[in-house]
Amino acid sequence: MLNIILRDVPEVRDNLLPLTFTRSVADLRLGILTLRQKWELSLPAVYSYMTADYLSVKYPSISSPDDDSFIVSAHFFPTPGVVKGVEHLRKGQALMFHDEEIARRCPLDQQPDELIQLDEIPLRLTRPYDIFQLNAAALEYDFTLLTAGRESVAPSPSNTIIGDPSRLFIEPGATMEGAIVNLNHGPVYLAAGSEVMEGTCIRGGLALCEGAQIKMGSRIYGATTIGPHSKVGGEVANIVIIGYSNKAHDGFLGNAVIGEWCNIAAGCAASNLKNDYTEIKDRSQHNDQHRYGVRSRSQLPRLGIPAQLRPVIYRRIHRRDDRSAVRQIHRHRAPRHGAPRCQPHSGRRRHLPPSLRSHRHISLTRTAVPSEIYLRTTTALGHPFL
């Protein structure tokens, strides 16, 4: 069997900070699956990681006994063209997209003997806002991948289904009652153990992952992913929750990426549009420089919440200047008078910050709690920009 190592390209990983402070690029979720899960279903092989040293306990690397491994850049999607190109690599060859390496079948310290150009434009993540921008395409890809040859559970008659019923897939163990689901704009996938409560309005695409829950009367539109064991309520538009996070009450959140173990308290609202409708600049988390973001007005602002954000109730996270709001890890709440451009994380000391100590209380109210490896990895962050 093939041995594939999903490598975090250093400059890409830096550009995806702060989301990649606590996870490999391959563990980022968009669509229904993480990038690693997409690769595993698209190309059967033995998979492992190549990432930052302090993450290696959580994301180990497995070398092939005969030193014949495929090293794949983790930020690329396994589209059919990319998978075919990787499969057909011979020893000493590398698959390229222009001057960007997709995969190689030789060690990193060895120059490839031959460069093969991919004859299509691949999908790939390069900035945090790519996660929600590409979520619609990722949902379509994952929906086709996961539903091929499988039969959906029939929805309850209490639901109102608009559009092609084949675009709705319900796994055994998922429940949905009294909801309105519009499938004309994207598929809807409900994983095992997920629940959609009464009065919810959904306009696809939507991925509701294992154990996730949508509260009563919620409004969801735009390509949205709600990761495992997360709860969502109120109004959300085109967001991605990687997992184990809550936005369970009223308030708006749009064009956002939320990491793990975050909680958006009741009444919190995050603006996804600048007051003067002008272009947004995105602040690089690694070198604190300004990078221009997308220019489409409907997706100009971004809100990145990588992990451990817990704003107090009725907190506003709004657009006042020319940068997207970014919340770093271990940030317990937003400031009293609006949010600054970028909040550095507070996990510089080696002991557990308040946001991680609170997991002792979380374990009393949730069936899923952070693993010891997660806690050790997170507290290993000794500097805000590793």
Side-chain angles (χ1 to χ4, degrees), residues 244-310:
Y244 308 98
S245 293
N246 292 342
K247 187 239 169 263
H249 305 286
D250 282 339
F252 174 77
L253 183 64
N255 304 110
V257 183
I258 301 177
E260 295 179 335
W261 306 108
C262 305
N263 185 64
I264 313 299
C268 288
S271 171
N272 68 338
L273 189 65
K274 266 187 65 177
N275 290 344
D276 59 3
Y277 287 70
T278 55
E279 183 185 42
I280 296 296
K281 292 179 182 178
D282 177 47
R283 179 185 288 269
S284 169
Q285 295 303 299
H286 181 63
N287 55 23
D288 208 34
Q289 292 178 350
H290 301 164
R291 306 284 182 87
Y292 281 97
V294 286
R295 296 175 182 270
S296 168
R297 199 172 74 184
S298 62
Q299 293 181 339
L300 275 174
R302 277 86 54 191
L303 171 68
I305 309 178
Q308 306 306 336
L309 179 76
R310 298 196 181 100

Side-chain angles (χ1 to χ4, degrees), residues 91-326:
K91 277 191 175 183
Q93 291 182 332
L95 182 65
M96 308 290 293
F97 175 65
H98 300 316
D99 59 348
E100 191 174 359
E101 185 179 294
I102 300 172
R104 61 163 58 203
R105 195 175 176 181
C106 62
L108 280 177
D109 57 2
Q110 178 183 319
Q111 199 68 16
D113 300 328
E114 183 182 1
L115 302 181
I116 299 173
Q117 285 292 333
L118 185 70
D119 58 358
E120 64 178 53
I121 299 176
L123 290 176
R124 63 198 189 282
L125 296 182
T126 57
R127 303 290 293 182
Y129 49 75
D130 289 338
I131 294 175
F132 63 76
Q133 279 191 292
L134 297 176
N135 203 42
L139 273 167
E140 293 284 358
Y141 176 82
D142 291 351
F143 188 85
T144 302
L145 195 64
L146 288 172
T147 60
R150 299 173 63 198
E151 187 174 342
S152 169
V153 173
S156 165
S158 66
N159 298 295
T160 301
I161 309 299
I162 303 169
D164 182 1
S166 67
R167 304 274 280 168
L168 171 65
F169 193 92
I170 304 174
E171 288 188 351
T175 59
M176 179 171 66
E177 297 287 348
I180 300 174
V181 183
N182 186 343
L183 302 170
N184 289 326
H185 301 273
V188 172
Y189 189 94
L190 307 182
S194 62
E195 180 184 13
V196 179
M197 292 186 179
E198 301 83 354
T200 297
C201 296
I202 299 170
R203 188 179 194 182
L206 169 70
L208 189 63
C209 298
E210 180 182 0
Q213 186 182 73
I214 298 177
K215 297 288 191 174
M216 289 188 294
S218 301
R219 290 92 66 207
I220 298 176
Y221 51 93
T224 292
T225 296
I226 302 171
H229 302 282
S230 299
K231 298 178 182 179
V232 165
E235 181 183 3
V236 299
N238 189 205
I239 71 166
V240 174
I241 298 177
I242 293 176
Y244 308 98
S245 293
N246 292 342
K247 187 239 169 263
H249 305 286
D250 282 339
F252 174 77
L253 183 64
N255 304 110
V257 183
I258 301 177
E260 295 179 335
W261 306 108
C262 305
N263 185 64
I264 313 299
C268 288
S271 171
N272 68 338
L273 189 65
K274 266 187 65 177
N275 290 344
D276 59 3
Y277 287 70
T278 55
E279 183 185 42
I280 296 296
K281 292 179 182 178
D282 177 47
R283 179 185 288 269
S284 169
Q285 295 303 299
H286 181 63
N287 55 23
D288 208 34
Q289 292 178 350
H290 301 164
R291 306 284 182 87
Y292 281 97
V294 286
R295 296 175 182 270
S296 168
R297 199 172 74 184
S298 62
Q299 293 181 339
L300 275 174
R302 277 86 54 191
L303 171 68
I305 309 178
Q308 306 306 336
L309 179 76
R310 298 196 181 100
V312 297
I313 62 172
Y314 290 103
R315 181 66 62 185
R316 293 172 298 131
I317 306 173
H318 57 87
R319 295 270 39 76
R320 294 186 304 170
D321 55 20
D322 63 347
R323 299 179 192 150
S324 57
V326 177

